Amino acid sequence: MKLRQKLLLSLLLAVFLPMILGGLGSLAVMQRQLQQINSTYHTHLSIGGVSGSMTDQFMKEVASDFEQEIRDTAEMCNWKLLDQTYCDELNARMGNKYSYLLVRNQGEITYPGDNEALAAAVKPYLPKYGSKTDHVWVPELGAYLWQYDFGAAGSVFAVIEVEQIEPKMRSCVIQTFCIFVILSVFSAIITTFVIYNSYYRPLLELEEACKRIADGDLNFTITSRKGDDLKELTDSFEVMRAKLKESMEKQVEDDKQNRELISNISHDLKTPITSIKGYVEGLMEGVANTPEKQDLYLHTIYSKANDLNRLIDELTYYSRISTNRIPYTFSKMDMVAYYEDCAVELEMDFEASEIEFHHDSLCKEAVIVVADPIQLRKVINNIIGNAIKYMDKAEQKVEMCLYREGDEVIIRIGDNGKGIAQKDLGHIFERFYRTDSARTSSKGGSGIGLAICKKIMDDHGGRIWAESREGEGTTFYFALKVFKEES
Ligand code: ADP
């Protein structure tokens, strides 16, 4: 359900639920009260039947039994109404319904009900013969009067004392009202609580979160609860916060790396420049005073300038590749054929050196990958270059192998050089990371060769890693996913 619909539904619920619950509660209480009145007064009042004045309705109900009896008696054997025994018996029954009987004949009270004094007090208020009163309220008596005439000048009266009933009726109305109010308030509190929990609280939390983000604080999490109607909004907000935090951390990390980069570049550029400057000064000041010395100085200057050039080339390459300014030319290619070509070229290169080079392919059939062959060659060259650079044994060996493992094709390049300490192994793919021994060696290096390899492999969706034992040698692996035709 959409948020708008949910909100509308909640508002309707907040308005109507208290009314419905209050109404139902009131009806239940009223029903119960009427049941009690019905059982006490032998009436048949029902909620549906109670319309207009409840007391009127009650009067009719309460008096209906004996009124009919009086009517029948007055018409068929009206002498009974002047009979003391009959009147006593009828009066006793009327007493059960908070009523009493008065009979007046020829202007005189012939039957005074239970109380003669009361009858005398009531007498002046009794309507005349022929008035045909039907439940007339007589405030002076605090009672309803019902009159039926008989004979020539006889009237029989039912006096219904509602004073006893009215408090009950009033309490019924008050109770009903109270229940209505209580249930309305109760359900209003519940719906308010539900709406608060579902909408208002998450909105408050989001507002608080916005303030914290505006203040630059992203170190918190905002979690949606079960049944939270703003769950989607809260979850999206949390995703946004996490991404913002990630990008801020990345930015901080990038800034830090850039500062390191500048300091590393300055350092690495300064080292050869300082030594070039030293040798040139040596030449100018005549320190190199023999042709042999001068020749040595010039060679050293040339070699340092070459280092500088190589370093600048690598830096330029790294900067271009890391800012995606070197476009890849990916194509489907057979890794086995590609590997064979590289191996043949490397074999020729190694022939001139003292290093033994072995290569092997365990893949007997073509293995298709999607890759940029030029960039892959850069990876192989960097690894082989390091193997040569960090070689320290008299018997020097480099071996290369191609094999397949699962859905990957892997090239392994191993050497028996000086190896890498375990503490350094996890860092060698970081840019400008060089082991202590590499820093102190005279072989030169920038610390970005392997970072370039890692970047190229990442951009290929592949991976690169190394294993090494200090003093025994290092093995590099890089793996590419084998291309699978979509079926
Ligand atoms: P560098 O220009 O210093 O060679 P790299 O990024 O290519 O930079 O290598 C990072 C570091 O990893 C090197 O400084 C070196 O300490 C270590 N390393 C790389 N390859 C080898 C290897 N084959 N044998 C021993 N150490 C190696």
Side-chain angles (χ1 to χ4, degrees):
M1 208 190 286
K2 283 190 178 146
L3 188 61
R4 197 164 159 263
Q5 290 164 332
K6 280 185 187 172
L7 265 173
L8 199 69
L9 197 74
S10 305
L11 287 176
L12 288 177
L13 210 69
V15 173
F16 289 113
L17 189 69
M19 287 167 74
I20 293 169
L21 269 183
L24 286 177
S26 312
L27 281 179
V29 169
M30 208 158 162
Q31 177 73 35
R32 172 129 184 78
Q33 295 278 351
L34 286 178
Q35 267 172 9
Q36 276 177 4
I37 291 173
N38 282 339
S39 76
T40 313
Y41 302 107
H42 309 287
T43 54
H44 303 92
L45 294 172
S46 70
I47 292 174
V50 175
S51 58
S53 157
M54 197 163 148
T55 316
D56 274 2
Q57 198 71 26
F58 178 77
M59 294 324 306
K60 282 184 190 138
E61 275 285 332
V62 120
S64 62
D65 286 357
F66 53 79
E67 280 171 10
Q68 190 56 45
E69 185 181 334
I70 292 170
R71 242 185 241 116
D72 292 348
T73 314
E75 274 167 25
M76 289 191 295
C77 37
N78 59 23
W79 55 268
K80 270 193 174 180
L81 296 171
L82 299 173
D83 176 57
Q84 184 71 26
T85 323
Y86 173 72
C87 286
D88 277 347
E89 190 263 330
L90 178 58
N91 187 49
R93 276 191 281 128
M94 286 170 70
N96 289 337
K97 294 196 172 185
Y98 300 96
S99 313
Y100 60 90
L101 183 72
L102 283 181
V103 181
R104 186 182 63 191
N105 197 18
Q106 309 287 349
E108 288 306 319
I109 300 289
T110 56
Y111 186 77
D114 302 326
N115 190 329
E116 279 196 35
L118 185 64
V122 167
K123 194 184 165 201
Y125 303 104
L126 295 178
K128 287 184 190 129
Y129 176 81
S131 299
K132 292 242 183 245
T133 53
D134 186 14
H135 300 121
V136 174
W137 171 248
V138 183
E140 293 82 358
L141 300 180
Y144 274 88
L145 262 189
W146 177 81
Q147 176 183 5
Y148 198 82
D149 294 341
F150 65 95
S155 297
V156 56
F157 296 96
V159 185
I160 307 160
E161 295 175 300
V162 288
E163 275 165 335
Q164 301 184 47
I165 302 154
E166 266 192 346
K168 284 195 170 37
M169 291 289 191
R170 209 175 301 120
S171 103
C172 169
V173 171
I174 291 172
Q175 276 191 31
T176 307
F177 179 73
C178 288
I179 288 295
F180 181 79
V181 170
I182 291 170
L183 281 178
S184 301
V185 169
F186 179 70
S187 51
I189 289 173
I190 290 195
T191 42
T192 308
F193 179 74
V194 169
I195 291 176
Y196 176 85
N197 243 357
S198 308
Y199 300 103
Y200 197 60
R201 189 191 44 72
L203 281 176
L204 279 183
E205 284 180 6
L206 285 179
E207 190 194 14
E208 177 62 27
C210 286
K211 277 188 196 151
R212 289 180 73 172
I213 290 177
D215 292 343
D217 175 12
L218 287 158
N219 295 321
F220 62 92
T221 45
I222 171 160
T223 41
S224 55
R225 293 174 184 81
K226 215 176 157 216
D228 193 338
D229 281 311
L230 296 181
K231 188 175 184 318
E232 276 174 35
L233 181 64
T234 312
D235 289 349
S236 311
F237 191 90
E238 173 56 18
V239 170
M240 184 199 78
R241 185 207 59 81
K243 281 195 176 156
L244 209 59
K245 187 176 177 213
E246 199 183 292
S247 85
M248 266 181 71
E249 282 172 355
K250 194 168 174 299
Q251 201 183 335
V252 170
E253 180 60 20
D254 281 355
D255 285 351
K256 191 178 153 224
Q257 285 191 0
N258 282 341
R259 277 196 299 276
E260 275 173 21
L261 186 76
I262 292 168
S263 124
N264 283 329
I265 291 172
S266 324
H267 175 263
D268 286 1
L269 289 177
K270 209 169 178 224
T271 315
I273 286 175
T274 311
S275 72
I276 289 172
K277 210 174 135 211
Y279 284 108
V280 171
E281 277 168 6
L283 281 174
M284 286 188 329
E285 287 163 13
V287 180
N289 46 11
T290 60
E292 292 79 28
K293 261 191 174 175
Q294 285 168 358
D295 198 38
L296 181 72
Y297 273 39
L298 282 173
H299 267 97
T300 314
I301 291 168
Y302 180 72
S303 146
K304 295 286 169 194
N306 271 342
D307 284 352
L308 205 56
N309 198 32
R310 210 171 29 246
L311 180 62
I312 289 168
D313 279 352
E314 290 226 304
L315 276 174
T316 314
Y317 188 86
Y318 182 77
S319 128
R320 289 175 68 198
I321 203 168
S322 62
T323 50
N324 300 324
R325 276 181 294 143
I326 292 188
Y328 286 93
T329 316
F330 288 108
S331 59
K332 274 199 262 175
M333 59 182 225
D334 174 15
M335 196 61 181
V336 180
Y338 176 80
Y339 171 82
E340 292 297 346
D341 288 349
C342 289
V344 170
E345 278 177 36
L346 286 169
E347 219 167 25
M348 289 193 299
D349 292 345
F350 275 111
E351 247 168 38
S353 74
E354 291 170 2
I355 302 172
E356 258 180 62
F357 177 65
H358 297 284
H359 61 90
D360 192 10
S361 168
L362 303 182
C363 301
K364 301 297 166 216
E365 290 167 2
V367 179
I368 307 299
V369 293
V370 174
D372 180 340
I374 296 176
Q375 303 304 334
L376 277 192
R377 191 58 209 258
K378 180 95 186 153
V379 175
I380 297 174
N381 284 351
N382 279 359
I383 296 173
I384 297 276
N386 279 348
I388 299 167
K389 195 159 47 170
Y390 300 111
M391 188 62 76
D392 62 348
K393 309 282 182 322
E395 203 179 305
Q396 306 173 350
K397 283 184 198 159
V398 173
E399 50 178 39
M400 186 165 85
C401 181
L402 176 83
Y403 62 99
R404 191 175 164 164
E405 214 170 71
D407 60 351
E408 285 180 322
V409 60
I410 301 170
I411 291 185
R412 185 184 70 210
I413 301 172
D415 63 59
N416 66 338
K418 60 179 174 179
I420 303 166
Q422 284 305 307
K423 70 174 174 61
D424 295 317
L425 204 55
H427 301 285
I428 54 171
F429 294 101
E430 292 168 14
R431 56 188 183 181
F432 293 109
Y433 190 86
R434 305 188 70 203
T435 61
D436 293 339
S437 59
R439 278 183 197 286
T440 49
S441 83
S442 58
K443 298 276 174 65
S446 59
I448 44 180
L450 289 179
I452 289 172
C453 295
K454 170 107 176 57
K455 171 75 179 142
I456 293 173
M457 290 317 296
D458 285 349
D459 293 343
H460 274 76
R463 53 199 187 104
I464 182 165
W465 69 102
E467 289 169 1
S468 186
R469 287 176 87 92
E470 220 178 345
E472 289 180 24
T474 307
T475 307
F476 282 91
Y477 301 81
F478 64 93
L480 284 173
K481 282 260 180 293
V482 175
F483 177 76
K484 273 193 211 121
E485 224 46 88
E486 297 277 329
S487 53

